[in-house]
Amino acid sequence: MALSPKFAGQRLLFGQPSSTAAGVPPAVHTLELFLDYVCPFSAKQFNTIYHTIVPLIKANPKWASSLEIIFRQQIQPWHPSSTLVHEAGVAVLKLAPDKYWAFSDALFKDQLAYFDEATVNELRNDTYKRLAKLGASVGVDEAQLYDLLAISDKVPEGGHANNGNKVTNDLKVHIKIARLVGVHVSPTVIFDGVVANEISSSWTKEQWQEWLTKNVV
């Protein structure tokens, strides 16, 4: 699926793509990762991809010039905090797209702090404040990040209630993307537009190497 330029921070590119035939525009394989920030299996897959597989791809000229990875945010609403943490991801994408993957890494590492039990008695804006501090830990402006997330307890004069925050409209787009391709489970991996059910969050480095060798051709 296409990626809007305003969400370009979700994409990892590793090299200059090359054309397979004269007169044909260059193209790459696309690996889309539908991940939820408060899903343990998503955290496991992200950690493997980001810290082990990405360096392998960068070190392999063939893979680097033939593959892109896209992080697709998969909100799982039965965990109420999932919406809040994904709003933070969208806010970082808007404010500092170059920090998006580093922020995602930090959030996955700290995901226990945003599970149901950790947030059930916390005010929504207080959760946002913690997320803004987490953003600051990877170089995102804390005040600006919080400003994008915070919800006012007052209805603007002449305005309407229940308007969400400054990233609500972008969050809706991410939700639509997952719905359009029928993604429900997290993590889900889509390769070149087709769900790759064989890929597991528990895959090792060796399993990923074998799969990449077979499919990135």
Side-chain angles (χ1 to χ4, degrees):
M1 183 178 287
L3 184 68
S4 169
K6 69 177 178 179
F7 301 143
Q10 291 184 307
R11 170 184 279 130
L12 288 180
L13 286 172
F14 307 101
Q16 185 66 34
S18 57
S19 178
T20 56
V24 177
V28 295
H29 295 287
T30 301
L31 189 70
E32 297 174 85
L33 309 174
F34 285 78
L35 306 173
D36 175 31
Y37 286 126
V38 291
C39 167
F41 302 102
S42 292
K44 188 174 185 180
Q45 186 169 83
F46 179 91
N47 183 63
T48 301
I49 292 286
Y50 191 61
H51 293 287
T52 302
I53 305 309
V54 165
L56 282 180
I57 294 170
K58 290 180 177 179
N60 184 315
K62 171 60 179 174
W63 294 348
S65 63
S66 305
L67 180 68
E68 65 177 0
I69 297 176
I70 299 176
F71 184 141
R72 299 288 193 185
Q73 293 183 219
Q74 173 70 4
I75 295 95
Q76 303 290 38
W78 46 88
H79 299 301
S81 63
S82 180
T83 296
L84 308 190
V85 294
H86 280 285
E87 286 177 322
V90 173
V92 171
L93 198 57
K94 187 183 188 76
L95 187 62
D98 59 317
K99 302 290 195 304
Y100 177 77
W101 284 79
F103 175 77
S104 296
D105 186 35
L107 183 48
F108 273 123
K109 288 176 178 175
D110 197 35
Q111 70 170 191
L112 285 173
Y114 300 95
F115 279 10
D116 291 344
E117 298 79 4
T119 57
V120 65
N121 293 316
E122 186 172 49
L123 294 174
R124 181 173 177 178
N125 279 341
D126 288 341
T127 304
Y128 288 147
K129 287 175 182 176
R130 290 199 291 125
L131 287 162
K133 287 185 181 298
L134 187 67
S137 73
V138 297
V140 182
D141 187 282
E142 182 177 344
Q144 291 182 13
L145 182 54
Y146 179 70
D147 180 66
L148 290 177
L149 297 172
I151 300 285
S152 175
D153 60 358
K154 296 178 177 60
V155 178
E157 186 176 349
H160 301 282
N162 213 28
N163 280 326
N165 56 29
K166 295 177 181 177
V167 297
T168 296
N169 288 336
D170 281 352
L171 186 76
K172 291 178 181 178
V173 175
H174 292 286
I175 293 170
K176 288 178 183 178
I177 289 169
R179 288 177 178 173
L180 280 170
V181 294
V183 170
H184 172 68
V185 175
S186 62
T188 292
V189 178
I190 293 181
F191 182 67
D192 289 348
V194 179
V195 175
N197 284 319
E198 71 274 18
I199 295 177
S200 168
S201 61
S202 63
W203 267 19
T204 63
K205 170 185 174 181
E206 290 72 26
Q207 286 173 300
W208 272 107
Q209 283 181 305
E210 181 181 355
W211 188 88
L212 289 167
T213 299
K214 178 182 177 182
N215 289 279
V216 183
V217 295

